[in-house]
Amino acid sequence: MGLVLLQNARIVDPANGLDMMGELLIAEDKIAAVGEKIPAEKAAGAEAINLKGKVVCPGLIDMHVHLREPGQSAKETIKTGTAAAARGGFTTVVCMPNTNPAIDNPSTVAFVMERCRKEALVNVLITGAISKGLEGEAMAPIGGLKSAGVVAITDDGRCIQNNDLMRRAVEYAQLFDLLVMDHCQDTSATSDGVMHAGYWSTRLGLQGWPSLGEELMVARNILLAKGIGARMYCQHISSAESVSMIRKAKSDGVKIYAETCPHYVTLTDMALAGSDEFWKGDGAGYFDVFTGSCKGMKPPRWSRYHTNFKMNPPLGSDEDRAALIEGLRDGTLDVISSDHAPHCGHEKEVEYDVAPFGIIGLETELGMALTSLYHRKVLSLSEIIRKFTAAPAELLRIDKGTLSVGAAADITVFDPEEEWVYDAAQGASKSQNSPFDGWPVKGRVHGTWVAGRQVYSLEKQDF
């Protein structure tokens, strides 16, 4: 790897309060120097790369990714999923335990770690299951999972309905200082719902999924965090009322944290009515960035009931989207993640009611966040980068998310102004179930380094 000097870069490192034009020197697998001008003697013999004003930031971290291995390799593998992560600028991903078999014991953790050692292009951190087999009936061996190396526990993809089991699991996780991540869904409230319950579910004749299903579990997590003093993390928040409850709890000093995803701040349930309705509807003004900033790019087209808009939780109303945006702005929502959930094409090419929930998002996550939040002046560049770097690193208590000298050289380079069109068929993932297929995007990753090794280059298109 040797020495690499990144020159003429806009260096943005929220962890150190940096936003400046300068240079960054990589020495082997570490960051050796950061400054306006690296002394020539220090950078002697380095490979110099002129970034022409592109942004250099700490390697991005995604706290919510489904790599599908073991057991579901037709959808994704550790190799293809981490290749997609590298293309999206992510140097660290946190994989969920809803595999087959579930990651609910130390031996499965060891298997995934070994596969990652051989196949992964980026750092992979592993979560363990809260319950055995994700069945919500008996607690998994949380202490053994911690010893095996998991960074958090979750039954993501499902949600423990037994409140006593969840309480005991949270108490036990606190003994090991493990973050508890919860897929917030009261299944008795969501029932057979397939899209957000409201005007559009009624008009389209689809079974509604009330936001109450998420909100009940958010309230439970707040009460657990408050009563036990544990750190609780609510995954893929989609509801305005959830944001309101989390905001109030945080103001009271409760250790409650939350994420949302780019699709929840870009799309609404109106998308299920098809692109004609969506672009002319009440929410269309939100997308002036596509017709204004992305000059010459036409809005994408899609059909009514398109299954690539089916995810769990479902897309909410325009009021929900506005509340999520405000939650990101005021810090109520700590992290932006993808909930990257690959599915085979034949699984999605069925009636909407029976299609599986889930979409991919690793390759579009940063670009859509920039398009929907930065270019609309909702968040500054530093604020967006923080939600992808320092914030998840702090929650996971890992030594990542910084460009400090001596830190691992996990680095992302992107151009926040570059306009392009996303083509899912050209992506690195084995699956193509993205709602943003064909969308104009403003902001593009150009390079990703992991421990000083470049694992992605847009110009070379190599891994």
Side-chain angles (χ1 to χ4, degrees), residues 10-260:
R10 179 181 174 184
I11 300 171
V12 182
D13 180 7
N16 288 307
L18 293 180
D19 188 346
M20 66 177 190
M21 293 301 298
E23 299 180 340
L24 184 147
L25 180 66
I26 302 170
E28 299 299 333
D29 61 345
K30 304 291 185 184
I31 294 172
V34 179
E36 292 184 2
K37 182 68 176 178
I38 306 297
E41 59 273 18
K42 194 165 191 175
E47 174 192 359
I49 301 176
N50 185 353
L51 294 180
K52 302 177 181 179
K54 294 182 182 67
V55 172
V56 169
C57 71
L60 307 183
I61 302 167
D62 192 326
M63 283 185 68
H64 194 160
V65 172
H66 299 268
L67 293 179
R68 301 301 194 201
E69 197 173 357
Q72 303 170 54
S73 57
K75 301 181 181 187
E76 194 76 285
T77 64
I78 288 167
K79 184 175 183 178
T80 59
T82 57
R87 284 198 181 197
F90 289 88
T91 59
T92 300
V93 297
V94 180
C95 70
M96 297 297 104
N98 58 335
T99 50
N100 186 20
I103 305 176
D104 63 355
N105 62 81
S107 63
T108 308
V109 174
F111 170 82
V112 175
M113 283 185 170
E114 179 61 17
R115 291 291 295 164
C116 291
R117 187 186 68 79
K118 293 179 178 179
E119 301 285 348
L121 287 173
V122 306
N123 306 305
V124 178
L125 305 178
I126 302 170
T127 59
I130 298 174
S131 68
K132 293 180 179 178
L134 302 173
E135 294 176 354
E137 296 178 358
M139 193 163 58
I142 294 173
L145 289 168
K146 169 71 172 183
S147 297
V150 305
V151 296
I153 56 171
T154 176
D155 268 14
D156 184 56
R158 301 184 187 180
C159 177
I160 291 177
Q161 306 299 296
N162 184 317
N163 291 328
D164 182 58
L165 174 62
M166 188 64 169
R167 175 187 60 81
R168 288 186 287 111
V170 171
E171 289 174 339
Y172 202 58
Q174 190 180 24
L175 297 175
F176 301 99
D177 193 29
L178 277 173
L179 183 67
V180 180
M181 305 167 68
D182 192 29
H183 171 115
C184 302
Q185 181 188 354
D186 186 317
T187 56
S188 67
T190 60
S191 188
D192 296 323
V194 294
M195 74 169 292
H196 175 70
Y199 171 81
W200 285 105
S201 64
T202 302
R203 179 167 167 179
L204 296 173
L206 292 174
Q207 182 70 36
W209 175 306
S211 296
L212 180 67
E214 173 179 293
E215 294 153 8
L216 287 169
M217 291 305 183
V218 169
R220 178 184 74 175
N221 292 337
I222 290 170
L223 291 171
L224 288 170
K226 182 178 181 180
I228 299 173
R231 296 185 302 135
M232 299 290 294
Y233 181 88
C234 298
Q235 297 176 293
H236 45 47
I237 290 300
S238 67
S239 156
E241 183 59 30
S242 294
V243 175
S244 179
M245 288 190 290
I246 294 167
R247 179 182 291 116
K248 173 63 167 59
K250 283 192 168 195
S251 71
D252 292 339
V254 179
K255 291 186 283 188
I256 187 78
Y257 309 97
E259 69 182 20
T260 193

Side-chain angles (χ1 to χ4, degrees), residues 200 204 268-281 300-306 309:
W200 285 105
L204 296 173
T268 69
D269 55 354
M270 189 189 296
L272 271 295
S275 60
D276 289 339
E277 289 280 359
F278 187 74
W279 293 117
K280 74 182 182 183
R301 316 301 298 172
W302 67 87
S303 61
R304 182 172 289 198
Y305 304 111
H306 201 303
F309 293 87

Side-chain angles (χ1 to χ4, degrees), residues 33 71 86 109 145 176 185 203 230 249 258 289 330 337 372 394 454:
V109 174
L145 289 168
F176 301 99
Q185 181 188 354
R203 179 167 167 179
V289 65
D330 68 15
S337 67
S372 299
E394 289 167 7
Q454 188 167 15

